[in-house]
Amino acid sequence: MNIPWWVFVLGCIAVVHFCGARHIEFSGKLLGMLMLCEVAIVLLLDIAIVLHGGGPAGLGAAPFMPTTVFSRGIGTALVFVLGSYMGFEATAIFSEEARDSTRTIPRATYLAVILIMVFYAFSAWAIVEAWGEGNIALQATHDPANLWFAISDRLLGPVATDTMNVLLVTSLFAAILSFHNTITRYFYAMGREGVLWRGLSRTHPKFHSPHVAGKLQTVIATVSIAVFAVFHLDPFAIVFSWMSALATVGIIAVQILVAMSVIAFFWRDSHGLGIGPRLVAPLISIVALAACLVLVIRNLAVLSGSDSKIVVMFPYMLLAVGVAGFCAALRLKRMAPSLYYALGRPIQQ
């Protein structure tokens, strides 16, 4: 029986809504468990590759050599690297629901970046060595879907490979749940501060989660999937690839604006901080992120897998949204100055 793809997606949305409506600790434990299982199976394969001495040519360090790292195509590779890091900054969004957020949130953020870097670097090196430094490019081009699974079958057996396939699906579910929780809390914050309907700031009497904001996010996701389904858009080539590219551009742009806002916030009052965290660090971030944004925009066709004119328009669409938001802020400042100047106060207290 051929079941339409959107049926599975709607089922996933329902499960995500159920999880998101629970206490944040519920989602945190679920995401943590899934992440540990996903990392464990990949590390198991990495270790098996090392214990078996790599591929035909054995183990080497060529992938880490400067001549390899900075070879032709590094710009395109960095685009996918940037996409892989998206979401590490989400720790700050949950600061109001964390114990001792001034200590735990920075630690969690730095730890996330370090672990992602080490895990990705080790795993990428392992799979290169498994196929051989001279064969990996050909294999990745010829059969990218089985790049990992073929090695897993050979070294760990079919049971481990099936487990890896299942965990690949659960990793996507975990990503969706994480994004759902993040967007829900954006709606909650804007409702609490009066920018949007104040009902969005209501929390669940038992789970203390922003369940009204969560329902809004679920409705938006459901309507979006319905639109994609009605127009028979390809779930991978367009729904996933195009939207991932759009999200990557948008998140990097927002991160640049956040770095700029840090400088503006501490410009008149340092709040006891040195010049490093309030000026030097955000300036470095602005320059580095701006370079990344240019890199991503120039390689949108590669990131999205399409050279469609719609994809080319993504940066302009996001610019239009940003301009609209800026105009809305100016209007709020003019029409309701007390509300405007109170924005962000609950977080600062």
Side-chain angles (χ1 to χ4, degrees):
M1 182 171 60
N2 188 18
I3 302 175
W5 65 268
W6 50 266
V7 174
F8 295 100
V9 176
L10 293 178
C12 181
I13 290 175
V15 177
V16 166
H17 177 75
F18 172 83
C19 296
R22 297 312 180 262
H23 195 280
I24 188 61
E25 289 184 0
F26 177 86
S27 293
K29 291 177 181 178
L30 178 60
L31 291 172
M33 180 184 68
L34 293 176
M35 184 195 71
L36 287 175
C37 292
E38 294 150 11
V39 171
I41 191 66
V42 176
L43 277 179
L44 185 63
L45 179 57
D46 294 342
I47 294 171
I49 292 171
V50 174
L51 292 179
H52 281 77
L59 299 173
F64 294 110
M65 294 294 103
T67 52
T68 303
V69 174
F70 297 102
S71 61
R72 183 180 180 183
I74 182 176
T76 304
L78 282 175
V79 170
F80 291 96
V81 171
L82 292 169
S84 299
Y85 271 86
M86 294 296 102
F88 79 91
E89 74 289 344
T91 51
I93 299 171
F94 302 98
S95 60
E96 294 182 73
E97 299 169 78
R99 297 188 183 95
D100 193 10
S101 59
T102 56
R103 183 171 60 91
T104 58
I105 295 300
R107 287 184 179 181
T109 306
Y110 288 123
L111 184 62
V113 173
I114 293 172
L115 288 178
I116 291 172
M117 177 183 67
V118 174
F119 176 68
Y120 281 177
F122 179 58
S123 298
W125 169 79
I127 198 64
V128 168
E129 297 307 304
W131 285 105
E133 294 162 7
N135 301 322
I136 183 65
L138 179 63
Q139 181 62 32
T141 303
H142 175 68
D143 190 12
N146 288 311
L147 189 67
W148 290 84
F149 299 135
I151 297 297
S152 176
D153 256 342
R154 178 162 59 87
L155 299 182
L156 300 179
V159 175
T161 302
D162 291 341
T163 302
M164 188 177 290
N165 272 292
V166 172
L167 290 174
L168 174 61
V169 176
T170 61
S171 70
L172 296 175
F173 169 79
I176 295 170
L177 177 57
S178 178
F179 282 125
H180 172 86
N181 288 336
T182 300
I183 298 171
T184 292
R185 279 150 183 81
Y186 277 127
F187 285 142
Y188 165 78
M190 289 190 287
R192 179 190 58 194
E193 301 196 16
V195 178
L196 297 178
W197 175 50
R198 290 191 180 275
L200 293 173
S201 64
R202 296 174 189 166
T203 56
H204 195 282
K206 179 180 179 181
F207 302 114
H208 309 291
S209 61
H211 67 114
V212 177
K215 290 175 182 176
L216 174 61
Q217 163 56 19
T218 298
V219 169
I220 293 174
T222 302
V223 171
S224 300
I225 293 301
V227 171
F228 291 136
V230 167
F231 287 96
H232 303 286
L233 299 180
D234 188 284
F236 182 79
I238 296 180
V239 179
F240 177 77
S241 299
W242 285 25
M243 295 303 101
S244 296
L246 178 62
T248 300
V249 176
I251 291 174
I252 295 175
V254 168
Q255 289 174 344
I256 293 173
L257 293 175
V258 170
M260 294 171 65
S261 70
V262 170
I263 297 176
F265 179 80
F266 291 110
W267 188 255
R268 294 184 179 179
D269 187 349
S270 66
H271 292 269
L273 292 178
I275 193 172
R278 62 185 173 85
L279 182 61
V280 177
L283 273 178
I284 294 174
S285 299
I286 291 170
V287 174
L289 287 168
C292 292
L293 183 61
V294 172
L295 193 61
V296 169
I297 292 175
R298 291 183 61 180
N299 290 275
L300 264 180
V302 177
L303 187 61
S304 65
S306 171
D307 57 358
S308 168
K309 292 182 179 179
I310 298 176
V311 173
V312 175
M313 291 298 295
F314 281 173
Y316 303 101
M317 294 178 188
L318 291 170
L319 179 62
V321 171
V323 171
F326 181 75
C327 293
L330 291 179
R331 183 177 182 277
L332 181 65
K333 183 178 181 180
R334 184 178 69 255
M335 302 296 291
S338 59
L339 178 62
Y340 176 84
Y341 287 106
L343 293 177
R345 291 292 172 84
I347 300 177
Q348 299 172 36
Q349 294 174 353

